[in-house]
Coordinates of all heavy atoms in Angstrom, one line a residue:
D865 N 126.1 136.6 105.7 CA 126.8 137.7 104.9 C 128.3 137.5 104.9 O 129.0 137.8 103.9 CB 126.5 139.1 105.5 CG 125.0 139.4 105.4 OD1 124.2 138.5 104.9 OD2 124.6 140.5 105.7
E866 N 128.9 137.1 106.1 CA 130.4 137.0 106.2 C 131.0 136.0 105.2 O 132.1 136.1 104.8 CB 130.8 136.7 107.6 CG 130.5 137.8 108.6 CD 131.0 137.5 110.0 OE1 131.7 136.5 110.1 OE2 130.8 138.3 110.9
A867 N 130.2 135.0 104.9 CA 130.7 134.0 103.9 C 131.0 134.5 102.6 O 132.0 134.1 101.9 CB 129.6 132.9 103.8
F868 N 130.4 135.6 102.2 CA 130.6 136.2 100.8 C 131.8 137.1 100.8 O 132.3 137.5 99.7 CB 129.4 136.9 100.4 CG 128.1 136.1 100.3 CD1 127.1 136.3 101.1 CD2 128.1 135.0 99.4 CE1 125.9 135.5 101.1 CE2 126.9 134.2 99.4 CZ 125.9 134.5 100.2
R869 N 132.4 137.3 102.0 CA 133.6 138.1 102.0 C 134.9 137.2 101.9 O 136.0 137.7 101.9 CB 133.7 139.0 103.3 CG 132.5 139.9 103.4 CD 132.6 140.6 104.8 NE 131.2 141.1 105.2 CZ 130.9 141.6 106.4 NH1 131.9 141.7 107.3 NH2 129.7 142.0 106.6
K870 N 134.6 135.9 101.9 CA 135.7 134.9 101.8 C 135.8 134.5 100.4 O 134.9 134.6 99.6 CB 135.4 133.7 102.7 CG 135.3 134.1 104.2 CD 134.9 132.8 105.0 CE 134.7 133.1 106.5 NZ 134.3 131.9 107.2
P871 N 137.0 134.0 100.0 CA 137.1 133.4 98.6 C 136.1 132.4 98.3 O 135.7 131.6 99.2 CB 138.5 132.9 98.6 CG 139.3 133.6 99.6 CD 138.3 133.9 100.7
V872 N 135.6 132.3 97.1 CA 134.5 131.4 96.8 C 134.9 129.9 97.0 O 134.0 129.1 97.4 CB 134.0 131.6 95.4 CG1 135.0 131.2 94.4 CG2 132.6 131.0 95.1
D873 N 136.1 129.6 96.9 CA 136.6 128.2 97.1 C 136.8 127.9 98.5 O 137.2 126.7 98.9 CB 137.8 127.9 96.2 CG 139.0 128.8 96.5 OD1 138.9 129.6 97.5 OD2 140.0 128.7 95.8
A874 N 136.6 128.9 99.4 CA 136.8 128.6 100.9 C 135.5 128.3 101.6 O 135.5 128.1 102.8 CB 137.5 129.8 101.5
V875 N 134.4 128.3 100.8 CA 133.0 128.1 101.4 C 132.3 127.1 100.5 O 132.7 126.8 99.4 CB 132.3 129.4 101.5 CG1 133.0 130.4 102.5 CG2 132.1 130.1 100.2
D876 N 131.1 126.7 101.0 CA 130.3 125.8 100.1 C 129.4 126.7 99.3 O 128.2 127.0 99.6 CB 129.4 125.0 101.0 CG 128.6 123.9 100.3 OD1 128.5 124.0 99.0 OD2 128.1 123.0 100.9
A877 N 130.0 127.2 98.1 CA 129.3 128.1 97.3 C 128.0 127.6 96.7 O 127.0 128.3 96.5 CB 130.2 128.6 96.1
E878 N 128.0 126.3 96.4 CA 126.8 125.7 95.8 C 125.6 125.8 96.7 O 124.5 126.1 96.4 CB 127.1 124.2 95.4 CG 125.9 123.6 94.7 CD 126.2 122.2 94.2 OE1 127.4 121.8 94.3 OE2 125.3 121.4 93.8
K879 N 125.9 125.5 98.0 CA 124.8 125.5 99.0 C 124.4 127.0 99.3 O 123.2 127.2 99.4 CB 125.3 124.9 100.3 CG 124.3 124.8 101.4 CD 124.8 124.1 102.7 CE 123.8 124.1 103.8 NZ 124.3 123.4 105.0
L880 N 125.3 127.9 99.3 CA 125.0 129.3 99.6 C 124.2 129.9 98.5 O 123.4 130.8 98.8 CB 126.3 130.1 99.8 CG 127.1 129.9 101.1 CD1 128.4 130.5 101.1 CD2 126.3 130.5 102.3
T881 N 124.4 129.5 97.3 CA 123.7 130.2 96.2 C 122.5 129.4 95.7 O 121.7 130.0 94.9 CB 124.7 130.3 94.9 OG1 125.2 129.0 94.6 CG2 125.8 131.2 95.2
A882 N 122.2 128.3 96.3 CA 121.0 127.5 95.9 C 119.7 128.4 96.0 O 118.8 128.4 95.1 CB 120.9 126.3 96.7
P883 N 119.5 129.2 97.1 CA 118.3 130.0 97.2 C 118.2 131.1 96.1 O 117.1 131.4 95.7 CB 118.5 130.7 98.6 CG 119.4 129.8 99.4 CD 120.3 129.2 98.4
L884 N 119.4 131.5 95.6 CA 119.4 132.5 94.6 C 118.8 132.0 93.3 O 117.9 132.6 92.6 CB 120.8 133.1 94.3 CG 120.9 134.0 93.1 CD1 120.1 135.3 93.3 CD2 122.4 134.3 92.9
W885 N 119.3 130.8 92.9 CA 118.8 130.2 91.6 C 117.4 129.8 91.7 O 116.6 129.9 90.7 CB 119.7 129.0 91.3 CG 121.2 129.3 91.4 CD1 122.1 128.6 92.0 CD2 121.9 130.4 90.7 NE1 123.4 129.2 91.9 CE2 123.2 130.3 91.1 CE3 121.5 131.5 89.9 CZ2 124.2 131.2 90.7 CZ3 122.4 132.4 89.5 CH2 123.8 132.3 89.9
A886 N 116.9 129.3 92.9 CA 115.5 129.0 93.0 C 114.7 130.2 92.9 O 113.6 130.2 92.3 CB 115.3 128.3 94.4
Y887 N 115.1 131.3 93.5 CA 114.4 132.6 93.4 C 114.4 133.1 92.0 O 113.3 133.5 91.5 CB 115.2 133.6 94.3 CG 114.6 135.0 94.2 CD1 113.6 135.4 95.1 CD2 115.1 136.0 93.3 CE1 113.1 136.7 95.1 CE2 114.5 137.2 93.2 CZ 113.6 137.6 94.2 OH 113.1 138.9 94.1
L888 N 115.5 133.1 91.3 CA 115.5 133.6 89.9 C 114.6 132.7 89.0 O 114.1 133.3 88.0 CB 117.0 133.6 89.4 CG 117.8 134.7 89.9 CD1 119.2 134.7 89.3 CD2 117.2 136.1 89.7
D889 N 114.5 131.4 89.2 CA 113.6 130.6 88.4 C 112.2 131.1 88.5 O 111.4 131.1 87.5 CB 113.7 129.1 88.9 CG 115.0 128.4 88.5 OD1 115.7 129.0 87.6 OD2 115.3 127.4 89.1
E890 N 111.8 131.7 89.7 CA 110.5 132.2 89.8 C 110.4 133.6 89.2 O 109.4 134.0 88.6 CB 110.1 132.3 91.3 CG 109.8 131.0 92.0 CD 109.3 131.2 93.4 OE1 108.2 131.8 93.5 OE2 110.0 130.8 94.4
L891 N 111.5 134.4 89.3 CA 111.5 135.8 88.8 C 111.5 135.9 87.3 O 110.9 136.7 86.7 CB 112.6 136.5 89.5 CG 112.8 138.0 89.1 CD1 111.6 138.8 89.6 CD2 114.1 138.6 89.6
Q892 N 112.3 135.0 86.7 CA 112.6 135.1 85.2 C 111.3 135.3 84.4 O 111.3 136.2 83.6 CB 113.3 133.9 84.7 CG 114.8 133.8 85.2 CD 115.7 134.9 84.8 OE1 116.0 135.7 85.6 NE2 115.9 135.0 83.5
P893 N 110.3 134.5 84.5 CA 109.1 134.7 83.6 C 108.4 136.0 83.9 O 107.5 136.4 83.1 CB 108.3 133.5 83.9 CG 108.7 133.0 85.2 CD 110.1 133.3 85.3
L894 N 108.6 136.6 85.0 CA 107.9 137.8 85.4 C 108.7 139.1 84.9 O 108.2 140.2 85.1 CB 107.7 137.9 86.9 CG 107.0 136.7 87.5 CD1 107.0 136.8 89.0 CD2 105.5 136.7 87.0
L895 N 109.9 138.9 84.4 CA 110.7 140.0 84.0 C 110.3 140.6 82.7 O 109.4 140.1 82.0 CB 112.2 139.5 83.8 CG 112.9 139.1 85.1 CD1 114.3 138.5 84.7 CD2 113.1 140.3 86.1
W896 N 110.9 141.7 82.3 CA 110.6 142.4 81.0 C 110.8 141.4 79.9 O 111.8 140.6 79.9 CB 111.6 143.6 80.9 CG 111.6 144.3 79.6 CD1 110.6 145.1 79.1 CD2 112.6 144.2 78.6 NE1 111.0 145.6 77.9 CE2 112.2 145.0 77.5 CE3 113.8 143.5 78.5 CZ2 112.9 145.2 76.4 CZ3 114.6 143.6 77.3 CH2 114.1 144.5 76.3
Q897 N 109.9 141.3 79.0 CA 109.9 140.4 77.9 C 110.0 138.9 78.3 O 110.7 138.1 77.7 CB 111.0 140.7 76.9 CG 110.8 142.0 76.2 CD 111.7 142.3 75.0 OE1 112.6 141.5 74.7 NE2 111.4 143.3 74.2
G898 N 109.4 138.6 79.5 CA 109.4 137.3 80.0 C 110.8 136.7 80.3 O 111.0 135.5 80.3
G899 N 111.8 137.6 80.5 CA 113.1 137.1 80.8 C 113.9 136.6 79.6 O 114.9 135.9 79.7
E900 N 113.3 136.8 78.4 CA 113.9 136.3 77.1 C 115.1 137.3 76.7 O 116.0 136.8 76.0 CB 112.9 136.2 76.0 CG 111.9 135.1 76.2 CD 112.5 133.7 76.2 OE1 113.4 133.5 75.4 OE2 112.2 132.9 77.1
N901 N 115.0 138.5 77.1 CA 116.0 139.5 76.8 C 116.3 140.4 78.0 O 115.4 140.4 78.9 CB 115.5 140.4 75.6 CG 115.4 139.6 74.3 OD1 116.4 139.2 73.8 ND2 114.1 139.5 73.9
Y902 N 117.4 141.0 78.0 CA 117.8 141.8 79.1 C 118.4 143.2 78.6 O 118.9 143.3 77.5 CB 118.9 141.1 79.9 CG 118.5 139.8 80.5 CD1 118.6 138.6 79.7 CD2 118.1 139.7 81.8 CE1 118.2 137.4 80.3 CE2 117.7 138.5 82.4 CZ 117.8 137.4 81.6 OH 117.4 136.1 82.1
P903 N 118.3 144.2 79.5 CA 119.0 145.4 79.1 C 120.5 145.1 79.0 O 121.0 144.3 79.7 CB 118.8 146.4 80.3 CG 117.5 145.8 80.9 CD 117.5 144.4 80.7
S904 N 121.1 145.7 78.0 CA 122.6 145.4 77.8 C 123.5 146.2 78.8 O 124.6 145.9 79.0 CB 123.0 145.8 76.4 OG 122.8 147.2 76.1
S905 N 122.9 147.2 79.4 CA 123.7 148.1 80.3 C 122.8 148.8 81.3 O 121.6 148.9 81.1 CB 124.5 149.1 79.5 OG 123.6 150.0 78.9
A906 N 123.4 149.4 82.3 CA 122.6 150.2 83.3 C 122.1 151.4 82.6 O 121.0 151.9 82.9 CB 123.5 150.6 84.5
A907 N 122.9 152.0 81.6 CA 122.5 153.2 80.9 C 121.2 152.9 80.1 O 120.3 153.7 80.0 CB 123.6 153.7 80.0
Q908 N 121.2 151.8 79.4 CA 120.0 151.4 78.6 C 118.8 151.2 79.5 O 117.7 151.7 79.2 CB 120.3 150.1 77.8 CG 119.1 149.8 76.9 CD 119.4 148.5 76.0 OE1 119.5 147.4 76.6 NE2 119.6 148.7 74.7
Q909 N 119.0 150.6 80.6 CA 117.8 150.3 81.5 C 117.4 151.7 82.1 O 116.1 151.9 82.3 CB 118.2 149.4 82.7 CG 117.0 149.0 83.5 CD 117.3 147.8 84.4 OE1 118.2 147.1 84.2 NE2 116.5 147.7 85.5
L910 N 118.3 152.6 82.4 CA 117.9 153.9 82.9 C 117.0 154.6 81.8 O 116.0 155.3 82.2 CB 119.1 154.7 83.2 CG 118.8 156.2 83.7 CD1 118.0 156.2 85.0 CD2 120.2 156.9 83.8
N911 N 117.4 154.5 80.6 CA 116.6 155.2 79.5 C 115.2 154.6 79.5 O 114.2 155.3 79.3 CB 117.2 155.0 78.2 CG 118.5 155.8 78.0 OD1 118.6 156.9 78.7 ND2 119.4 155.5 77.1
W912 N 115.0 153.3 79.6 CA 113.7 152.6 79.6 C 112.9 153.0 80.9 O 111.7 153.2 80.8 CB 113.9 151.1 79.5 CG 114.5 150.7 78.2 CD1 114.6 151.4 77.1 CD2 115.0 149.4 77.9 NE1 115.2 150.7 76.1 CE2 115.4 149.4 76.6 CE3 115.2 148.2 78.6 CZ2 116.0 148.3 75.9 CZ3 115.8 147.1 78.0 CH2 116.2 147.2 76.7

C-alpha cells in the first residue's frame, strides 16, 4: 500500500500494476454488455 503514496516514477509501477491488468482481463467479459461499453458517470450507473 505504501508504494502507491509515492510518485509513480519513484517505484516500479509496471510491476506493481501487473496484477491489476491480469485481473481486469478476466473481469472485462463478465461486465455489463461484456465490457464493450461502460457507464459514462457515477450518476448514470446509480440510475441503472
Side-chain angles (χ1 to χ4, degrees):
D865 297 5
E866 292 186 6
F868 301 115
R869 300 175 204 170
K870 300 176 181 178
V872 70
D873 58 5
V875 297
D876 189 342
E878 184 176 350
K879 182 178 179 180
L880 283 168
T881 56
L884 172 65
W885 311 126
Y887 176 91
L888 287 180
D889 287 344
E890 289 189 63
L891 182 64
Q892 289 299 110
L894 304 173
L895 293 173
W896 175 74
Q897 293 194 353
E900 291 297 318
N901 295 293
Y902 299 83
S904 61
S905 65
Q908 185 179 67
Q909 186 167 340
L910 177 62
N911 288 336
W912 293 346

